[in-house]
Amino acid sequence: MKIFVYHTPELVPDTGSPDCAIAVDILRATTTIATALAAGAEGVQVFSDLDELMSVSAAHPPELRIRVGERGGKTVEGCDLGNSPFDFTPEVVKGKRIFMSTTNGTRSLQKIQNAKSVLACAMINLGSVLSYLRETKPETVWIVGSGWEGSYSLEDTTCAGAIVANLENEADFGNDEAVAAATLYKAWKGEVEELFYQASHGKRLLNLNGAEDIAYCAKIDVVKVLPKQSSAGLLVAA
């Protein structure tokens, strides 16, 4: 197994395709996806474009759909929910399909949707992702951080590093970014929440009263779910 880390979707190679690609958007898309699927959502269908989300979701029965739109940390007008994982309770999402578009995370998922297998990882479902990688032993793994509008994101690299660090005795580093990510995680392993508060997007969420969201997003392996792509752009609990 050889693991590569790419800090943003823009840095993902235009040629080639890995055996497994993992999207990471800790604050908050992949955390919310894992939470929603663990709460019984039928699936999460992701879109980088809001107009496409509205068009595609219009064909789904209204009582079985939830439209999720987030831009700049705020809920998009006309959508049912924003991107806070606390909104995705079993009472709200069970049996429903979530149509989601966020500032950063859904772009990463769309960028890697042609890989042989596609996963969504957060700190909260780290163990499920690690178990999948150990069981399937893909030859090449790309971990793609979502960043913030094309720039580096501290929290996404921390999660990428958690994957790499836990597998460093079973896998090879594919690039320098993988080494750096593992080093970052090991340095902050016991203080992940404190690190997230220092991140630029953590500070944005604090300004939007999102301290509880950050604390939840920093929890490690509290949800046993593996969000895996079943068809292009659609994630289900594997």
mmCIF file of all heavy atoms in Angstrom, residues 101-154:
data_model
loop_
_atom_site.group_PDB
_atom_site.id
_atom_site.type_symbol
_atom_site.label_atom_id
_atom_site.label_comp_id
_atom_site.label_asym_id
_atom_site.label_seq_id
_atom_site.Cartn_x
_atom_site.Cartn_y
_atom_site.Cartn_z
ATOM 1 N N SER A 101 -24.406 20.171 -1.000
ATOM 2 C CA SER A 101 -23.370 20.976 -1.639
ATOM 3 C C SER A 101 -22.766 21.884 -0.581
ATOM 4 O O SER A 101 -23.488 22.610 0.108
ATOM 5 C CB SER A 101 -23.935 21.817 -2.790
ATOM 6 O OG SER A 101 -22.913 22.584 -3.392
ATOM 7 N N THR A 102 -21.430 21.821 -0.434
ATOM 8 C CA THR A 102 -20.745 22.642 0.557
ATOM 9 C C THR A 102 -19.637 23.442 -0.121
ATOM 10 O O THR A 102 -19.292 23.213 -1.280
ATOM 11 C CB THR A 102 -20.146 21.782 1.682
ATOM 12 O OG1 THR A 102 -19.063 21.001 1.157
ATOM 13 C CG2 THR A 102 -21.203 20.866 2.284
ATOM 14 N N THR A 103 -19.050 24.360 0.629
ATOM 15 C CA THR A 103 -18.025 25.231 0.059
ATOM 16 C C THR A 103 -16.850 24.438 -0.487
ATOM 17 O O THR A 103 -16.325 24.734 -1.562
ATOM 18 C CB THR A 103 -17.514 26.218 1.129
ATOM 19 O OG1 THR A 103 -18.623 26.909 1.704
ATOM 20 C CG2 THR A 103 -16.558 27.236 0.519
ATOM 21 N N ASN A 104 -16.417 23.407 0.258
ATOM 22 C CA ASN A 104 -15.178 22.730 -0.099
ATOM 23 C C ASN A 104 -15.298 21.214 -0.253
ATOM 24 O O ASN A 104 -14.817 20.640 -1.225
ATOM 25 C CB ASN A 104 -14.104 23.034 0.962
ATOM 26 C CG ASN A 104 -13.888 24.522 1.146
ATOM 27 O OD1 ASN A 104 -13.445 25.206 0.240
ATOM 28 N ND2 ASN A 104 -14.218 25.038 2.326
ATOM 29 N N GLY A 105 -15.930 20.547 0.716
ATOM 30 C CA GLY A 105 -15.888 19.094 0.773
ATOM 31 C C GLY A 105 -16.489 18.385 -0.416
ATOM 32 O O GLY A 105 -15.954 17.368 -0.893
ATOM 33 N N THR A 106 -17.611 18.872 -0.923
ATOM 34 C CA THR A 106 -18.248 18.161 -2.030
ATOM 35 C C THR A 106 -17.425 18.294 -3.311
ATOM 36 O O THR A 106 -17.494 17.435 -4.184
ATOM 37 C CB THR A 106 -19.685 18.664 -2.246
ATOM 38 O OG1 THR A 106 -19.700 20.103 -2.330
ATOM 39 C CG2 THR A 106 -20.570 18.247 -1.086
ATOM 40 N N ARG A 107 -16.621 19.332 -3.423
ATOM 41 C CA ARG A 107 -15.714 19.446 -4.579
ATOM 42 C C ARG A 107 -14.671 18.338 -4.559
ATOM 43 O O ARG A 107 -14.312 17.778 -5.596
ATOM 44 C CB ARG A 107 -15.027 20.815 -4.591
ATOM 45 C CG ARG A 107 -15.958 21.987 -4.886
ATOM 46 C CD ARG A 107 -15.198 23.293 -5.105
ATOM 47 N NE ARG A 107 -14.302 23.608 -4.002
ATOM 48 C CZ ARG A 107 -12.978 23.573 -4.083
ATOM 49 N NH1 ARG A 107 -12.393 23.225 -5.215
ATOM 50 N NH2 ARG A 107 -12.238 23.898 -3.034
ATOM 51 N N SER A 108 -14.170 18.022 -3.368
ATOM 52 C CA SER A 108 -13.177 16.944 -3.255
ATOM 53 C C SER A 108 -13.777 15.613 -3.673
ATOM 54 O O SER A 108 -13.156 14.822 -4.397
ATOM 55 C CB SER A 108 -12.662 16.843 -1.818
ATOM 56 O OG SER A 108 -11.899 17.967 -1.487
ATOM 57 N N LEU A 109 -14.981 15.346 -3.211
ATOM 58 C CA LEU A 109 -15.629 14.082 -3.550
ATOM 59 C C LEU A 109 -15.877 13.967 -5.049
ATOM 60 O O LEU A 109 -15.703 12.897 -5.633
ATOM 61 C CB LEU A 109 -16.928 13.942 -2.766
ATOM 62 C CG LEU A 109 -16.737 13.524 -1.307
ATOM 63 C CD1 LEU A 109 -17.952 13.874 -0.471
ATOM 64 C CD2 LEU A 109 -16.441 12.019 -1.222
ATOM 65 N N GLN A 110 -16.270 15.049 -5.682
ATOM 66 C CA GLN A 110 -16.495 14.995 -7.117
ATOM 67 C C GLN A 110 -15.184 14.843 -7.884
ATOM 68 O O GLN A 110 -15.129 14.193 -8.924
ATOM 69 C CB GLN A 110 -17.261 16.226 -7.594
ATOM 70 C CG GLN A 110 -18.721 16.228 -7.113
ATOM 71 C CD GLN A 110 -19.656 16.967 -8.046
ATOM 72 O OE1 GLN A 110 -19.333 18.040 -8.527
ATOM 73 N NE2 GLN A 110 -20.821 16.401 -8.287
ATOM 74 N N LYS A 111 -14.111 15.406 -7.350
ATOM 75 C CA LYS A 111 -12.808 15.312 -8.010
ATOM 76 C C LYS A 111 -12.317 13.866 -8.080
ATOM 77 O O LYS A 111 -11.648 13.469 -9.052
ATOM 78 C CB LYS A 111 -11.789 16.167 -7.249
ATOM 79 C CG LYS A 111 -10.397 16.187 -7.845
ATOM 80 C CD LYS A 111 -10.338 17.020 -9.116
ATOM 81 C CE LYS A 111 -8.919 17.151 -9.632
ATOM 82 N NZ LYS A 111 -8.820 18.013 -10.809
ATOM 83 N N ILE A 112 -12.635 13.070 -7.071
ATOM 84 C CA ILE A 112 -12.097 11.703 -6.989
ATOM 85 C C ILE A 112 -13.129 10.628 -7.318
ATOM 86 O O ILE A 112 -12.881 9.444 -7.127
ATOM 87 C CB ILE A 112 -11.504 11.424 -5.591
ATOM 88 C CG1 ILE A 112 -12.591 11.548 -4.505
ATOM 89 C CG2 ILE A 112 -10.333 12.356 -5.308
ATOM 90 C CD1 ILE A 112 -12.116 11.200 -3.099
ATOM 91 N N GLN A 113 -14.272 11.000 -7.846
ATOM 92 C CA GLN A 113 -15.380 10.057 -7.980
ATOM 93 C C GLN A 113 -15.107 8.929 -8.982
ATOM 94 O O GLN A 113 -15.826 7.929 -8.997
ATOM 95 C CB GLN A 113 -16.667 10.784 -8.354
ATOM 96 C CG GLN A 113 -16.666 11.431 -9.720
ATOM 97 C CD GLN A 113 -17.978 12.173 -10.004
ATOM 98 O OE1 GLN A 113 -18.816 12.354 -9.121
ATOM 99 N NE2 GLN A 113 -18.147 12.590 -11.234
ATOM 100 N N ASN A 114 -14.059 9.054 -9.794
ATOM 101 C CA ASN A 114 -13.762 7.995 -10.767
ATOM 102 C C ASN A 114 -12.765 6.964 -10.254
ATOM 103 O O ASN A 114 -12.391 6.049 -10.991
ATOM 104 C CB ASN A 114 -13.243 8.615 -12.070
ATOM 105 C CG ASN A 114 -14.311 9.419 -12.798
ATOM 106 O OD1 ASN A 114 -15.480 9.052 -12.789
ATOM 107 N ND2 ASN A 114 -13.914 10.520 -13.397
ATOM 108 N N ALA A 115 -12.312 7.095 -9.010
ATOM 109 C CA ALA A 115 -11.408 6.106 -8.428
ATOM 110 C C ALA A 115 -12.135 4.765 -8.270
ATOM 111 O O ALA A 115 -13.368 4.710 -8.249
ATOM 112 C CB ALA A 115 -10.893 6.586 -7.083
ATOM 113 N N LYS A 116 -11.360 3.689 -8.133
ATOM 114 C CA LYS A 116 -11.966 2.357 -8.017
ATOM 115 C C LYS A 116 -12.865 2.252 -6.793
ATOM 116 O O LYS A 116 -13.927 1.627 -6.824
ATOM 117 C CB LYS A 116 -10.862 1.297 -7.975
ATOM 118 C CG LYS A 116 -10.106 1.157 -9.284
ATOM 119 C CD LYS A 116 -8.998 0.115 -9.186
ATOM 120 C CE LYS A 116 -8.209 0.028 -10.491
ATOM 121 N NZ LYS A 116 -7.085 -0.927 -10.396
ATOM 122 N N SER A 117 -12.426 2.816 -5.679
ATOM 123 C CA SER A 117 -13.300 2.939 -4.515
ATOM 124 C C SER A 117 -13.104 4.321 -3.914
ATOM 125 O O SER A 117 -11.990 4.858 -3.928
ATOM 126 C CB SER A 117 -13.020 1.851 -3.470
ATOM 127 O OG SER A 117 -11.726 1.993 -2.930
ATOM 128 N N VAL A 118 -14.186 4.899 -3.421
ATOM 129 C CA VAL A 118 -14.175 6.262 -2.886
ATOM 130 C C VAL A 118 -14.792 6.252 -1.500
ATOM 131 O O VAL A 118 -15.906 5.737 -1.301
ATOM 132 C CB VAL A 118 -14.960 7.237 -3.797
ATOM 133 C CG1 VAL A 118 -15.024 8.623 -3.169
ATOM 134 C CG2 VAL A 118 -14.322 7.305 -5.180
ATOM 135 N N LEU A 119 -14.084 6.817 -0.533
ATOM 136 C CA LEU A 119 -14.544 6.886 0.846
ATOM 137 C C LEU A 119 -14.580 8.333 1.312
ATOM 138 O O LEU A 119 -13.900 9.195 0.764
ATOM 139 C CB LEU A 119 -13.599 6.107 1.770
ATOM 140 C CG LEU A 119 -13.194 4.689 1.387
ATOM 141 C CD1 LEU A 119 -12.190 4.156 2.398
ATOM 142 C CD2 LEU A 119 -14.412 3.782 1.298
ATOM 143 N N ALA A 120 -15.369 8.572 2.364
ATOM 144 C CA ALA A 120 -15.330 9.845 3.071
ATOM 145 C C ALA A 120 -14.849 9.582 4.490
ATOM 146 O O ALA A 120 -15.387 8.714 5.178
ATOM 147 C CB ALA A 120 -16.709 10.502 3.096
ATOM 148 N N CYS A 121 -13.831 10.318 4.907
ATOM 149 C CA CYS A 121 -13.259 10.099 6.236
ATOM 150 C C CYS A 121 -13.306 11.374 7.056
ATOM 151 O O CYS A 121 -13.105 12.478 6.547
ATOM 152 C CB CYS A 121 -11.820 9.615 6.125
ATOM 153 S SG CYS A 121 -11.065 9.184 7.721
ATOM 154 N N ALA A 122 -13.566 11.201 8.343
ATOM 155 C CA ALA A 122 -13.470 12.277 9.332
ATOM 156 C C ALA A 122 -12.776 11.694 10.555
ATOM 157 O O ALA A 122 -12.542 10.481 10.633
ATOM 158 C CB ALA A 122 -14.861 12.802 9.685
ATOM 159 N N MET A 123 -12.462 12.528 11.496
ATOM 160 C CA MET A 123 -11.883 12.001 12.733
ATOM 161 C C MET A 123 -12.876 11.054 13.409
ATOM 162 O O MET A 123 -12.488 10.044 13.991
ATOM 163 C CB MET A 123 -11.523 13.139 13.694
ATOM 164 C CG MET A 123 -10.536 14.170 13.151
ATOM 165 S SD MET A 123 -8.978 13.517 12.532
ATOM 166 C CE MET A 123 -8.190 12.974 14.040
ATOM 167 N N ILE A 124 -14.174 11.362 13.299
ATOM 168 C CA ILE A 124 -15.171 10.594 14.047
ATOM 169 C C ILE A 124 -15.349 9.176 13.531
ATOM 170 O O ILE A 124 -15.840 8.310 14.248
ATOM 171 C CB ILE A 124 -16.541 11.319 14.089
ATOM 172 C CG1 ILE A 124 -17.143 11.430 12.679
ATOM 173 C CG2 ILE A 124 -16.433 12.673 14.777
ATOM 174 C CD1 ILE A 124 -18.606 11.822 12.683
ATOM 175 N N ASN A 125 -14.977 8.899 12.277
ATOM 176 C CA ASN A 125 -15.107 7.532 11.746
ATOM 177 C C ASN A 125 -13.763 6.982 11.281
ATOM 178 O O ASN A 125 -13.693 6.110 10.416
ATOM 179 C CB ASN A 125 -16.141 7.472 10.620
ATOM 180 C CG ASN A 125 -15.669 8.141 9.333
ATOM 181 O OD1 ASN A 125 -15.045 9.203 9.385
ATOM 182 N ND2 ASN A 125 -15.967 7.546 8.190
ATOM 183 N N LEU A 126 -12.700 7.467 11.880
ATOM 184 C CA LEU A 126 -11.346 7.066 11.501
ATOM 185 C C LEU A 126 -11.159 5.551 11.555
ATOM 186 O O LEU A 126 -10.581 4.950 10.652
ATOM 187 C CB LEU A 126 -10.331 7.764 12.411
ATOM 188 C CG LEU A 126 -8.864 7.400 12.227
ATOM 189 C CD1 LEU A 126 -8.373 7.823 10.848
ATOM 190 C CD2 LEU A 126 -8.013 8.046 13.329
ATOM 191 N N GLY A 127 -11.637 4.919 12.608
ATOM 192 C CA GLY A 127 -11.437 3.479 12.778
ATOM 193 C C GLY A 127 -12.052 2.664 11.662
ATOM 194 O O GLY A 127 -11.465 1.663 11.211
ATOM 195 N N SER A 128 -13.223 3.065 11.186
ATOM 196 C CA SER A 128 -13.874 2.325 10.103
ATOM 197 C C SER A 128 -13.080 2.412 8.809
ATOM 198 O O SER A 128 -12.978 1.436 8.056
ATOM 199 C CB SER A 128 -15.294 2.867 9.888
ATOM 200 O OG SER A 128 -16.091 2.653 11.024
ATOM 201 N N VAL A 129 -12.511 3.584 8.555
ATOM 202 C CA VAL A 129 -11.691 3.758 7.348
ATOM 203 C C VAL A 129 -10.408 2.942 7.454
ATOM 204 O O VAL A 129 -10.003 2.269 6.501
ATOM 205 C CB VAL A 129 -11.386 5.252 7.120
ATOM 206 C CG1 VAL A 129 -10.374 5.438 5.993
ATOM 207 C CG2 VAL A 129 -12.672 6.008 6.791
ATOM 208 N N LEU A 130 -9.773 2.973 8.603
ATOM 209 C CA LEU A 130 -8.553 2.187 8.797
ATOM 210 C C LEU A 130 -8.824 0.692 8.645
ATOM 211 O O LEU A 130 -8.041 -0.036 8.016
ATOM 212 C CB LEU A 130 -7.954 2.472 10.175
ATOM 213 C CG LEU A 130 -7.370 3.871 10.389
ATOM 214 C CD1 LEU A 130 -6.967 4.058 11.847
ATOM 215 C CD2 LEU A 130 -6.169 4.107 9.479
ATOM 216 N N SER A 131 -9.940 0.223 9.179
ATOM 217 C CA SER A 131 -10.295 -1.197 9.049
ATOM 218 C C SER A 131 -10.471 -1.583 7.586
ATOM 219 O O SER A 131 -10.014 -2.648 7.151
ATOM 220 C CB SER A 131 -11.574 -1.491 9.836
ATOM 221 O OG SER A 131 -11.360 -1.342 11.221
ATOM 222 N N TYR A 132 -11.139 -0.710 6.823
ATOM 223 C CA TYR A 132 -11.350 -0.981 5.400
ATOM 224 C C TYR A 132 -10.016 -1.080 4.666
ATOM 225 O O TYR A 132 -9.800 -2.002 3.854
ATOM 226 C CB TYR A 132 -12.209 0.123 4.779
ATOM 227 C CG TYR A 132 -12.395 -0.013 3.288
ATOM 228 C CD1 TYR A 132 -13.400 -0.812 2.761
ATOM 229 C CD2 TYR A 132 -11.553 0.660 2.398
ATOM 230 C CE1 TYR A 132 -13.563 -0.956 1.383
ATOM 231 C CE2 TYR A 132 -11.706 0.527 1.027
ATOM 232 C CZ TYR A 132 -12.709 -0.270 0.528
ATOM 233 O OH TYR A 132 -12.864 -0.411 -0.834
ATOM 234 N N LEU A 133 -9.112 -0.156 4.934
ATOM 235 C CA LEU A 133 -7.813 -0.171 4.248
ATOM 236 C C LEU A 133 -6.996 -1.404 4.621
ATOM 237 O O LEU A 133 -6.327 -2.003 3.774
ATOM 238 C CB LEU A 133 -7.038 1.110 4.578
ATOM 239 C CG LEU A 133 -7.647 2.411 4.047
ATOM 240 C CD1 LEU A 133 -6.876 3.617 4.568
ATOM 241 C CD2 LEU A 133 -7.678 2.419 2.523
ATOM 242 N N ARG A 134 -7.065 -1.798 5.884
ATOM 243 C CA ARG A 134 -6.311 -2.988 6.312
ATOM 244 C C ARG A 134 -6.890 -4.269 5.715
ATOM 245 O O ARG A 134 -6.163 -5.212 5.402
ATOM 246 C CB ARG A 134 -6.307 -3.056 7.838
ATOM 247 C CG ARG A 134 -5.386 -2.017 8.472
ATOM 248 C CD ARG A 134 -5.378 -2.098 9.977
ATOM 249 N NE ARG A 134 -4.345 -1.255 10.560
ATOM 250 C CZ ARG A 134 -4.556 -0.334 11.501
ATOM 251 N NH1 ARG A 134 -5.788 -0.159 11.985
ATOM 252 N NH2 ARG A 134 -3.551 0.384 11.956
ATOM 253 N N GLU A 135 -8.197 -4.285 5.542
ATOM 254 C CA GLU A 135 -8.844 -5.489 4.999
ATOM 255 C C GLU A 135 -8.660 -5.599 3.485
ATOM 256 O O GLU A 135 -8.417 -6.687 2.955
ATOM 257 C CB GLU A 135 -10.336 -5.469 5.338
ATOM 258 C CG GLU A 135 -10.637 -5.705 6.814
ATOM 259 C CD GLU A 135 -12.070 -5.369 7.174
ATOM 260 O OE1 GLU A 135 -12.875 -5.098 6.249
ATOM 261 O OE2 GLU A 135 -12.396 -5.357 8.373
ATOM 262 N N THR A 136 -8.760 -4.475 2.780
ATOM 263 C CA THR A 136 -8.733 -4.509 1.315
ATOM 264 C C THR A 136 -7.333 -4.321 0.743
ATOM 265 O O THR A 136 -7.067 -4.714 -0.391
ATOM 266 C CB THR A 136 -9.666 -3.445 0.728
ATOM 267 O OG1 THR A 136 -9.230 -2.138 1.164
ATOM 268 C CG2 THR A 136 -11.107 -3.667 1.184
ATOM 269 N N LYS A 137 -6.432 -3.683 1.502
ATOM 270 C CA LYS A 137 -5.040 -3.456 1.092
ATOM 271 C C LYS A 137 -4.928 -2.918 -0.338
ATOM 272 O O LYS A 137 -4.271 -3.529 -1.212
ATOM 273 C CB LYS A 137 -4.241 -4.753 1.229
ATOM 274 C CG LYS A 137 -4.098 -5.243 2.659
ATOM 275 C CD LYS A 137 -3.314 -6.545 2.733
ATOM 276 C CE LYS A 137 -3.009 -6.962 4.161
ATOM 277 N NZ LYS A 137 -4.230 -7.145 4.988
ATOM 278 N N PRO A 138 -5.541 -1.756 -0.612
ATOM 279 C CA PRO A 138 -5.405 -1.184 -1.953
ATOM 280 C C PRO A 138 -3.947 -0.821 -2.250
ATOM 281 O O PRO A 138 -3.218 -0.381 -1.358
ATOM 282 C CB PRO A 138 -6.280 0.070 -1.894
ATOM 283 C CG PRO A 138 -6.365 0.405 -0.439
ATOM 284 C CD PRO A 138 -6.319 -0.904 0.285
ATOM 285 N N GLU A 139 -3.554 -1.018 -3.495
ATOM 286 C CA GLU A 139 -2.146 -0.764 -3.847
ATOM 287 C C GLU A 139 -1.798 0.715 -3.733
ATOM 288 O O GLU A 139 -0.723 1.082 -3.243
ATOM 289 C CB GLU A 139 -1.872 -1.265 -5.262
ATOM 290 C CG GLU A 139 -0.411 -1.199 -5.657
ATOM 291 C CD GLU A 139 -0.137 -1.846 -6.991
ATOM 292 O OE1 GLU A 139 -0.954 -2.680 -7.437
ATOM 293 O OE2 GLU A 139 0.905 -1.520 -7.605
ATOM 294 N N THR A 140 -2.689 1.565 -4.202
ATOM 295 C CA THR A 140 -2.461 3.016 -4.105
ATOM 296 C C THR A 140 -3.654 3.684 -3.431
ATOM 297 O O THR A 140 -4.806 3.348 -3.717
ATOM 298 C CB THR A 140 -2.247 3.660 -5.486
ATOM 299 O OG1 THR A 140 -3.351 3.314 -6.339
ATOM 300 C CG2 THR A 140 -0.945 3.192 -6.109
ATOM 301 N N VAL A 141 -3.365 4.624 -2.548
ATOM 302 C CA VAL A 141 -4.398 5.372 -1.819
ATOM 303 C C VAL A 141 -4.105 6.859 -1.963
ATOM 304 O O VAL A 141 -2.972 7.303 -1.706
ATOM 305 C CB VAL A 141 -4.408 4.997 -0.322
ATOM 306 C CG1 VAL A 141 -5.466 5.826 0.428
ATOM 307 C CG2 VAL A 141 -4.655 3.513 -0.136
ATOM 308 N N TRP A 142 -5.106 7.618 -2.383
ATOM 309 C CA TRP A 142 -4.998 9.076 -2.398
ATOM 310 C C TRP A 142 -5.906 9.627 -1.306
ATOM 311 O O TRP A 142 -7.106 9.322 -1.273
ATOM 312 C CB TRP A 142 -5.464 9.654 -3.738
ATOM 313 C CG TRP A 142 -4.576 9.368 -4.904
ATOM 314 C CD1 TRP A 142 -3.409 8.645 -4.914
ATOM 315 C CD2 TRP A 142 -4.807 9.791 -6.252
ATOM 316 N NE1 TRP A 142 -2.892 8.600 -6.178
ATOM 317 C CE2 TRP A 142 -3.712 9.289 -7.036
ATOM 318 C CE3 TRP A 142 -5.798 10.535 -6.888
ATOM 319 C CZ2 TRP A 142 -3.617 9.524 -8.408
ATOM 320 C CZ3 TRP A 142 -5.696 10.760 -8.252
ATOM 321 C CH2 TRP A 142 -4.618 10.267 -9.009
ATOM 322 N N ILE A 143 -5.351 10.418 -0.414
ATOM 323 C CA ILE A 143 -6.152 11.127 0.581
ATOM 324 C C ILE A 143 -6.199 12.591 0.156
ATOM 325 O O ILE A 143 -5.159 13.240 0.023
ATOM 326 C CB ILE A 143 -5.547 11.014 1.990
ATOM 327 C CG1 ILE A 143 -5.302 9.547 2.364
ATOM 328 C CG2 ILE A 143 -6.467 11.672 3.016
ATOM 329 C CD1 ILE A 143 -4.527 9.371 3.663
ATOM 330 N N VAL A 144 -7.410 13.091 -0.064
ATOM 331 C CA VAL A 144 -7.578 14.440 -0.618
ATOM 332 C C VAL A 144 -8.250 15.343 0.401
ATOM 333 O O VAL A 144 -9.420 15.158 0.750
ATOM 334 C CB VAL A 144 -8.400 14.401 -1.925
ATOM 335 C CG1 VAL A 144 -8.533 15.813 -2.504
ATOM 336 C CG2 VAL A 144 -7.746 13.461 -2.933
ATOM 337 N N GLY A 145 -7.516 16.309 0.896
ATOM 338 C CA GLY A 145 -8.098 17.322 1.768
ATOM 339 C C GLY A 145 -8.929 18.297 0.948
ATOM 340 O O GLY A 145 -8.700 18.488 -0.251
ATOM 341 N N SER A 146 -9.885 18.922 1.594
ATOM 342 C CA SER A 146 -10.762 19.848 0.883
ATOM 343 C C SER A 146 -10.248 21.276 0.915
ATOM 344 O O SER A 146 -10.548 22.074 0.033
ATOM 345 C CB SER A 146 -12.174 19.781 1.473
ATOM 346 O OG SER A 146 -12.683 18.478 1.309
ATOM 347 N N GLY A 147 -9.448 21.584 1.957
ATOM 348 C CA GLY A 147 -8.915 22.940 2.047
ATOM 349 C C GLY A 147 -10.007 23.976 2.220
ATOM 350 O O GLY A 147 -11.150 23.668 2.583
ATOM 351 N N TRP A 148 -9.641 25.217 1.935
ATOM 352 C CA TRP A 148 -10.618 26.304 1.982
ATOM 353 C C TRP A 148 -10.463 27.146 0.727
ATOM 354 O O TRP A 148 -9.495 27.870 0.561
ATOM 355 C CB TRP A 148 -10.424 27.182 3.228
ATOM 356 C CG TRP A 148 -11.367 28.349 3.238
ATOM 357 C CD1 TRP A 148 -11.112 29.633 2.839
ATOM 358 C CD2 TRP A 148 -12.748 28.342 3.614
ATOM 359 N NE1 TRP A 148 -12.231 30.412 2.938
ATOM 360 C CE2 TRP A 148 -13.251 29.639 3.419
ATOM 361 C CE3 TRP A 148 -13.607 27.344 4.088
ATOM 362 C CZ2 TRP A 148 -14.579 29.978 3.695
ATOM 363 C CZ3 TRP A 148 -14.931 27.692 4.360
ATOM 364 C CH2 TRP A 148 -15.396 28.984 4.173
ATOM 365 N N GLU A 149 -11.395 26.967 -0.205
ATOM 366 C CA GLU A 149 -11.400 27.704 -1.460
ATOM 367 C C GLU A 149 -10.035 27.641 -2.150
ATOM 368 O O GLU A 149 -9.489 28.643 -2.617
ATOM 369 C CB GLU A 149 -11.847 29.147 -1.227
ATOM 370 C CG GLU A 149 -13.274 29.231 -0.691
ATOM 371 C CD GLU A 149 -13.772 30.648 -0.499
ATOM 372 O OE1 GLU A 149 -12.927 31.572 -0.488
ATOM 373 O OE2 GLU A 149 -14.994 30.835 -0.385
ATOM 374 N N GLY A 150 -9.470 26.437 -2.192
ATOM 375 C CA GLY A 150 -8.231 26.214 -2.910
ATOM 376 C C GLY A 150 -6.966 26.323 -2.087
ATOM 377 O O GLY A 150 -5.873 26.034 -2.591
ATOM 378 N N SER A 151 -7.072 26.720 -0.828
ATOM 379 C CA SER A 151 -5.880 26.880 0.006
ATOM 380 C C SER A 151 -5.808 25.781 1.069
ATOM 381 O O SER A 151 -6.787 25.093 1.352
ATOM 382 C CB SER A 151 -5.864 28.261 0.676
ATOM 383 O OG SER A 151 -6.982 28.412 1.536
ATOM 384 N N TYR A 152 -4.631 25.652 1.663
ATOM 385 C CA TYR A 152 -4.323 24.613 2.641
ATOM 386 C C TYR A 152 -5.236 24.689 3.862
ATOM 387 O O TYR A 152 -5.601 25.774 4.316
ATOM 388 C CB TYR A 152 -2.861 24.794 3.066
ATOM 389 C CG TYR A 152 -2.386 23.876 4.166
ATOM 390 C CD1 TYR A 152 -1.840 22.643 3.868
ATOM 391 C CD2 TYR A 152 -2.456 24.263 5.505
ATOM 392 C CE1 TYR A 152 -1.377 21.806 4.873
ATOM 393 C CE2 TYR A 152 -2.000 23.436 6.516
ATOM 394 C CZ TYR A 152 -1.455 22.212 6.195
ATOM 395 O OH TYR A 152 -1.010 21.388 7.187
ATOM 396 N N SER A 153 -5.567 23.513 4.404
ATOM 397 C CA SER A 153 -6.436 23.441 5.580
ATOM 398 C C SER A 153 -5.780 22.579 6.651
ATOM 399 O O SER A 153 -5.510 21.403 6.425
ATOM 400 C CB SER A 153 -7.797 22.861 5.185
ATOM 401 O OG SER A 153 -8.575 22.586 6.317
ATOM 402 N N LEU A 154 -5.546 23.155 7.813
ATOM 403 C CA LEU A 154 -4.844 22.478 8.898
ATOM 404 C C LEU A 154 -5.584 21.230 9.372
ATOM 405 O O LEU A 154 -4.991 20.171 9.584
ATOM 406 C CB LEU A 154 -4.658 23.460 10.058
ATOM 407 C CG LEU A 154 -3.724 23.076 11.203
ATOM 408 C CD1 LEU A 154 -2.308 22.894 10.695
ATOM 409 C CD2 LEU A 154 -3.770 24.147 12.293
#
